[in-house]
Amino acid sequence: GFPQVTKKVNHAFHNTFVFGLDGGITLSQTDYEKSKMGYSARLTGEYFFKTNSIHLVGLKLKVGSEEVAGEDSRESISNNDEPNPREIPPVFKSSVFSAGIAATYSISINDVFFPFVSVGFTNLWFDPKDDDGKPAFGNSSNLYSKTATAFSFEGGFKVLVSDRVSINVSANPYIISTDYLDDIAAASEDDAYTSILIGITYSPFIETDTDGDGVVGSADMCPDTPYGISVDEFGCPVDTDKDGVADYKDECSGTPKGTIVDQNGCPLDTDGDGIPDLND
């Protein structure tokens, strides 16, 4: 049999809150022939639960602003409403505001690289406009509700660049419960879009392990332990024989309990005759 060794976890995503700022591009899938690149920006707040393994589970709140756009060379398109067919502008742009919650799973690779996936629920508010910046036909006619729900997915990775800061890259598909993101319902499937983001996260409340002994912050009763020394659950050097001298300094390990020792952990010899006081 072999004992299992528990690795003490200490990084910016362990039992703490993490705040992020991301920016990037949006690619859409609508009834228009071509997708045009739009902007995407997002703020996130995330909490990762306490763990003693490389596996991390968290909850994420996110709010964002996206632009979904497309272009089409057709002057009219067959659709599910009246009039049918309907004239469409050559370009549409929809400003989207999103707010949602997601569950996140991540894995720690050397406490530096963190690939992750998440799935959640998002609410969207959108405002389709034509190429002149005016509300599109269906929008101005109140043909549909300009709010929708979406299943949001995310995949990407974080890379720690300091104890508290990381760089993030992610792709975020949204499967939306409306076909009017482009102002027209002309297919059997609803619209969708994906945002590609890069950004930073910051962990303001992380407790650091200044002496590298695996015991962090307020739990470390001996914060200046030399590197590599074995410590107990309080972060203090192990003293096996309980004589008050840590093992790494103790030249006489195994001293009987209650024996008075010197600074080297050896039984005291007051008269210097070579026989310790307890035997003299």
Side-chain angles (χ1 to χ4, degrees), residues 179-200:
D179 195 25
Y180 289 102
L181 208 60
D182 54 2
D183 193 60
I184 189 167
S188 58
E189 296 181 357
D190 292 331
D191 295 331
Y193 69 88
T194 299
S195 58
I196 310 297
L197 300 172
I198 184 170
I200 61 171

Side-chain angles (χ1 to χ4, degrees), residues 82-226:
E82 295 296 335
N84 184 20
R86 197 182 89 193
E87 292 184 0
I88 59 171
V91 173
F92 89 91
K93 290 183 180 180
S94 283
S95 298
V96 181
F97 176 78
S98 60
I101 187 170
T104 300
Y105 169 75
S106 181
I107 187 170
S108 170
I109 300 177
N110 295 326
D111 288 348
V112 175
F113 184 72
F114 298 83
F116 67 89
V117 293
S118 74
V119 60
F121 175 82
T122 300
N123 205 72
L124 306 176
W125 296 264
F126 58 98
D127 184 25
K129 296 181 179 180
D130 60 23
D131 47 339
D132 293 324
K134 298 178 181 179
F137 173 81
N139 185 358
S140 60
S141 303
N142 293 318
L143 184 63
Y144 49 81
S145 173
K146 284 171 281 189
T147 183
T149 57
F151 288 108
S152 58
F153 302 89
E154 185 173 2
F157 60 87
K158 302 177 188 290
V159 179
L160 277 181
V161 294
S162 74
D163 287 340
R164 299 175 184 270
V165 178
S166 71
I167 296 175
N168 327 305
V169 177
S170 66
N172 304 262
Y174 290 84
I175 300 176
I176 309 168
S177 63
T178 183
D179 195 25
Y180 289 102
L181 208 60
D182 54 2
D183 193 60
I184 189 167
S188 58
E189 296 181 357
D190 292 331
D191 295 331
Y193 69 88
T194 299
S195 58
I196 310 297
L197 300 172
I198 184 170
I200 61 171
T201 56
Y202 178 70
S203 306
F205 307 119
I206 184 175
E207 289 191 295
T208 57
D209 179 12
T210 55
D211 54 9
D213 61 3
V215 181
V216 300
S218 58
D220 197 339
M221 304 301 294
C222 302
D224 298 319
T225 304

Side-chain angles (χ1 to χ4, degrees), residues 228-247:
I229 299 302
S230 297
V231 297
D232 57 22
E233 66 270 27
F234 304 108
C236 292
V238 173
D239 178 14
T240 305
D241 55 10
K242 308 298 182 185
D243 61 0
V245 180
D247 286 0

